[in-house]
Amino acid sequence: MATLGRNHKILLDLVQQPGNNLCADCAAPEPDWASYTLGVFVCLNCSGMHRNLPTVSKVKSIRLDYWEDSLIKFMQERGNSAAKAIFEKCVPAFFYKPQQKDCIVLKDQWIRAKYERREFTGENNYFLQAYNSDLFESTLWKKGKDNRQFLKRIFLLSQKDFTLRYFIKEDSKVPKAVISMKDLNAHFQPEKIGHNHGLQISYLEDERTRNIFVYHEDGQAIVSFFNAIRATRLAYLLKKHPTLQNNELIPQISTHCLKEGYMEKTGPTQREPFKKRWFTLCSMNRKLLYFKSSLVMNRENKMLQSWALSSLAQKTMATLCQRAAAGAQGEAGGTAGSHWRLRGGSLCSCVNRCRSRESGWRPSEESSLNP
């Protein structure tokens, strides 16, 4: 028992050291699990993904499980920083490193890429070359415009002319669409698309935002496609801004909304019943948007509020975003006679007597706005 208590104390001291105090895979604070074959401390969620790699990683709770002296010694010798120097030695600048709140497929494939496929150890450049190839082809299931069914389509990324093309048939000579990397954005939307591997691609066309919704049954395939998009975007940005460094361009590769999810909204007269709508709060362009359906083109979208990029608007929006992210309670003044309320981490807005139209909205019972 003395040895058991001593070993647990050593582990608890180790996990508080810099580097070990965050999950090795998603940076979640205070990890309480560890892979005793890899020598890394991980959070509960990531430990579950490590269990899916039994030939590579075996995990124990640092508080509840029994730890042999030999395993304690290995954890002392390794740790998150030492493991990172091995397994993340050659991570390319464009490759997306998932964080705690990212979707499962991103974190799962990040863990598999690091430890199972060993993509970033420098042993094999096959994967890195594939992401950066002049042409990257992938077959994905794309949401149809009219019948709303997912249809198989061929997608082709090109670093020669910085475009994304997709084709209806394998033998098609002419693409259905040619999308420039200039304004393209891609991010995962499992809830919105209704699939665990759902990826949303947005781009500008005739000054309107268009959306493509795709997925692949294989997690590696869809995450590889996502990172190939990021590689092509970075190549485009490097050519457009040759004097800037990678660390200055990485934040421009893709953007994420501060909060989004389903809410319920009334009609113009408020006598109409509440209807479920998808709301998006974007801190980049200072806009709060709602969508008639989660899977529609921009022509059906309604912009609830648009914030001018004045210093006052930026400060107001920054305050709103900070409160929304922190889940604080309070109110912040809006524009056009509106006001905003934050309740328990959900962003709730009641638009009363708006100059342009009158409407109200409330959190959907299914889910509130998610960070």
Side-chain angles (χ1 to χ4, degrees):
M1 293 300 295
T3 301
L4 177 63
R6 178 179 64 84
N7 286 348
H8 278 163
K9 185 178 184 304
I10 293 174
L11 285 173
L12 293 176
D13 289 340
L14 282 175
V15 81
Q16 294 178 17
Q17 294 179 3
N20 294 339
N21 60 342
L22 300 177
C23 174
D25 300 319
C26 75
E30 301 179 359
D32 51 6
W33 289 77
S35 170
Y36 59 87
T37 54
L38 298 172
V40 295
F41 293 91
V42 296
C43 67
L44 175 62
N45 290 332
C46 289
S47 72
M49 300 174 201
H50 277 257
R51 287 193 184 92
N52 294 328
L53 308 175
T55 60
V56 175
S57 180
K58 298 183 184 298
V59 295
K60 287 177 178 281
S61 167
I62 64 175
R63 300 178 185 274
L64 304 177
D65 290 328
Y66 173 75
W67 285 77
E68 296 86 351
D69 290 345
S70 60
L71 299 183
I72 294 294
K73 183 178 179 181
F74 179 68
M75 296 302 299
Q76 289 176 312
E77 294 172 349
R78 183 64 66 86
N80 288 4
S81 297
K84 182 177 181 179
I86 298 173
F87 297 108
E88 298 184 33
K89 179 182 179 181
C90 303
V91 180
F94 62 80
F95 201 95
Y96 184 77
K97 296 182 180 181
Q99 299 299 304
Q100 180 182 4
K101 294 180 180 180
D102 280 310
C103 62
I104 293 176
V105 67
L106 270 174
K107 291 190 285 187
D108 177 68
Q109 287 303 313
W110 169 239
I111 290 171
R112 290 181 180 274
K114 282 203 300 182
Y115 307 122
E116 185 179 52
R117 299 192 294 269
R118 300 174 71 93
E119 292 188 21
F120 315 120
T121 60
E123 303 168 12
N124 189 343
N125 292 327
Y126 168 78
F127 294 100
L128 303 185
Q129 291 172 353
Y131 295 127
N132 264 318
S133 60
D134 290 339
L135 293 175
F136 186 98
E137 182 177 326
S138 185
T139 301
L140 306 173
W141 291 94
K142 174 187 174 294
K143 189 76 169 180
K145 178 180 178 181
D146 298 322
N147 57 17
R148 297 184 178 274
Q149 293 180 343
F150 282 91
L151 306 170
K152 186 176 291 188
R153 296 290 183 258
I154 310 299
F155 286 81
L156 191 63
L157 275 164
S158 172
Q159 288 200 17
K160 293 181 179 179
D161 57 7
F162 303 114
T163 60
L164 171 63
R165 295 175 168 88
Y166 77 87
F167 301 80
I168 295 178
K169 298 180 180 180
E170 292 185 8
D171 58 352
S172 297
K173 301 298 182 181
V174 179
K176 178 66 174 178
V178 180
I179 304 167
S180 171
M181 285 290 120
K182 180 177 181 294
D183 300 300
L184 186 142
N185 186 47
H187 62 291
F188 279 87
Q189 291 280 26
E191 180 186 5
K192 186 177 185 180
I193 297 174
H195 193 281
N196 291 335
H197 301 166
L199 180 69
Q200 176 176 335
I201 301 170
S202 304
Y203 61 99
L204 288 180
E205 181 181 88
D206 299 328
E207 298 184 353
R208 289 188 174 186
T209 300
R210 302 295 185 185
N211 299 306
I212 296 177
F213 304 95
V214 297
Y215 75 86
H216 196 290
E217 291 292 349
D218 181 64
Q220 182 180 350
I222 193 67
V223 174
S224 294
F225 178 69
F226 172 67
N227 280 300
I229 289 178
R230 290 178 57 84
T232 308
R233 272 280 296 165
L234 179 58
Y236 166 78
L237 292 171
L238 285 169
K239 184 174 182 178
K240 184 180 179 181
H241 308 286
T243 60
L244 298 183
Q245 301 297 317
N246 278 347
N247 60 343
E248 299 174 282
L249 296 175
I250 296 302
Q252 301 181 41
I253 292 180
S254 60
T255 59
H256 297 272
C257 295
L258 179 67
K259 279 180 175 286
E260 58 186 343
Y262 285 110
M263 305 286 284
E264 290 184 351
K265 173 193 169 296
T266 65
T269 63
Q270 291 193 347
R271 289 191 294 269
E272 298 181 23
F274 278 91
K275 296 180 180 179
K276 188 169 70 172
R277 297 290 184 259
W278 183 271
F279 282 78
T280 297
L281 173 62
C282 182
S283 59
M284 295 294 293
N285 59 13
R286 317 296 179 183
K287 291 180 180 179
L288 176 62
L289 310 176
Y290 73 85
F291 300 75
K292 184 177 181 181
S293 168
S294 64
L295 300 179
V296 292
M297 290 299 187
N298 191 63
R299 62 178 178 273
E300 299 180 50
N301 298 349
K302 304 291 185 179
M303 186 172 71
L304 185 60
Q305 291 288 341
S306 178
W307 294 73
L309 291 178
S310 65
S311 59
L312 177 60
Q314 290 183 26
K315 291 179 181 179
T316 305
M317 190 63 176
T319 302
L320 173 62
C321 292
Q322 290 172 2
R323 292 184 178 180
Q329 294 183 354
E331 296 186 0
T335 59
S338 65
H339 69 272
W340 308 78
R341 290 201 295 251
L342 306 174
R343 297 174 180 170
S346 300
L347 176 63
C348 302
S349 174
C350 299
V351 184
N352 299 320
R353 295 189 177 90
C354 184
R355 293 175 186 173
S356 59
R357 60 184 279 153
E358 293 184 352
S359 63
W361 49 297
R362 67 187 181 195
S364 168
E365 292 181 358
E366 291 189 13
S367 63
S368 59
L369 287 179
N370 298 318

